Amino acid sequence: MKRLTKSNEKVVAGVLGGISNYINPELDPVFIRIAFAWIAFFHPALVLVYFGLALILPKENLTYSQQ
């Protein structure tokens, strides 16, 4: 079962990298970050949602079988 987690490869808090991995593991997180920046420009409250997710989401756990 897939879970939404924060990514270990993070720029700010790893939320957008985690969303990218949840949607499609092969999707480059840069596309999600650009889309977020564009949408947040018009809806600044989205930044509060981002930091809320940064506090709520668990960190990604890597095991040897996932590497």
Side-chain angles (χ1 to χ4, degrees), residues 3-46:
R3 291 186 58 185
L4 181 59
T5 59
K6 290 189 283 188
S7 174
N8 291 328
E9 300 173 13
K10 52 187 161 185
V11 173
V12 177
V15 173
L16 297 176
I19 291 172
S20 174
N21 287 337
Y22 184 78
I23 293 172
N24 184 357
E26 296 178 9
L27 180 65
D28 192 3
V30 173
F31 296 120
I32 301 296
R33 291 178 183 127
I34 291 171
F36 175 82
W38 179 254
I39 295 170
F41 180 76
F42 295 106
H43 301 284
L46 191 60

Side-chain angles (χ1 to χ4, degrees), residues 41-62:
F41 180 76
F42 295 106
H43 301 284
L46 191 60
V47 175
L48 295 175
V49 173
Y50 177 87
F51 286 113
L53 287 173
L55 293 173
I56 294 171
L57 289 179
K59 293 181 181 178
E60 178 180 48
N61 292 328
L62 289 179

